[in-house]
Amino acid sequence: MCSVGDTDFEFDIEKIEVERYKCNNCGNKFDAMGEKVVCPSCQAENVVKV
Ligand SMILES: [Zn+2]
């Protein structure tokens, strides 16, 4: 019996929502996602969605 391959591949490809942020520290604008966003330029957490 070859009953392999009954894997439940339920890959819910969630919509990855990339949002636009702006750093209040250095003024850098960048795209980021997730909850903890830091500026890629200066690593500051002082960022806001734009
Ligand atoms: Zn910055």
Side-chain angles (χ1 to χ4, degrees), residues 23 25-28 39 41-44:
C23 175
N25 216 42
C26 67
N28 182 34
C39 172
S41 179
C42 68
Q43 316 299 317

